[in-house]
Amino acid sequence: QITNVNTFMDEINSCSSAQYSKDAKIVSYNGPGSYCGGQLNASSVMIQNYSLGAPLTSCNIELRVNNETTYSTSWSGSLNTYETTMVNIPAQTGITNGSEISFHIDYGGDMDTDNNGYWPQLSPSTQTSNNISLYIMTDNWPDETTWELLSSNGNIVDSGGPYTQANSVISEEWDLNPGCYTFNVYDEYGDGLEASMWGQ
């Protein structure tokens, strides 16, 4: 928490600013944190116009595996300086474990290529048996806790919560068909499943 004006201004002045007449960059990645069975599910990247006084109207977005372009899509529109937009990337297959996955923007005449790439930390999935056990220890606010188990195509296989019993163990058992699954657990308040600060 910033408590005085000088510190606040230092934070503002530390931010970068547009310097070139033609510059586009990738700001962030929104998608799964892992890939499974050689497949990376659909994702998206945020691009930004970093050009001084000129709109960004078209560019290409590339997905690279081990620095080789495996997918490319064109984007067109109109972004003024500092404006952003999301570009969708469909599911990708044929990704071997241990591959480096990155996203890049290709903008003709770009004067700063140092901000053209983004390397999210993606990891291969963990292999396990088909028999899965889930145990959740609720905290003082069980009504904030929910979860879902998703199949490889994003369908909900099972879900649970919110709960009513505080500080209790919730258990589930599954005998799953072979395939790739994603497990998500949510805390509505946003502070996680942790009540140790309250002595629990």
Side-chain angles (χ1 to χ4, degrees), residues 87-145:
V87 179
N88 294 326
I89 310 293
Q92 303 295 308
T93 58
I95 301 173
T96 58
N97 283 355
S99 295
E100 179 187 71
I101 300 172
S102 58
F103 298 87
H104 300 263
I105 188 168
D106 180 18
Y107 178 40
D110 198 325
M111 301 172 71
D112 182 9
T113 58
D114 288 341
N115 57 16
N116 288 12
Y118 196 89
W119 288 260
Q121 299 300 309
L122 306 181
S123 58
S125 60
T126 301
Q127 186 172 359
T128 184
S129 70
N130 295 349
N131 299 311
I132 303 296
S133 299
L134 169 68
Y135 300 96
I136 296 179
M137 177 69 178
T138 62
D139 60 8
N140 289 350
W141 296 272
D143 56 309
E144 298 174 356
T145 303

Side-chain angles (χ1 to χ4, degrees), residues 3-82:
T3 57
N4 61 71
V5 174
N6 289 337
T7 304
F8 184 68
M9 289 307 301
D10 288 343
E11 286 293 314
I12 293 176
N13 293 331
S14 69
C15 296
S16 62
S17 60
Q19 301 179 39
Y20 303 97
S21 59
K22 292 199 73 174
D23 187 15
K25 72 175 184 177
I26 292 187
V27 178
S28 62
Y29 163 83
N30 181 29
S34 63
Y35 52 94
C36 179
Q39 176 171 308
L40 175 66
N41 288 341
S43 58
S44 60
V45 292
M46 178 184 288
I47 63 172
Q48 183 178 38
N49 180 18
Y50 228 50
S51 306
L52 277 174
L56 173 64
T57 58
S58 64
C59 61
N60 293 324
I61 304 299
E62 300 174 349
L63 182 146
R64 298 180 187 175
V65 179
N66 297 325
N67 211 31
E68 291 188 11
T69 301
T70 59
Y71 174 81
S72 178
T73 185
S74 59
W75 173 87
S76 62
S78 183
L79 296 177
N80 293 321
T81 304
Y82 299 129

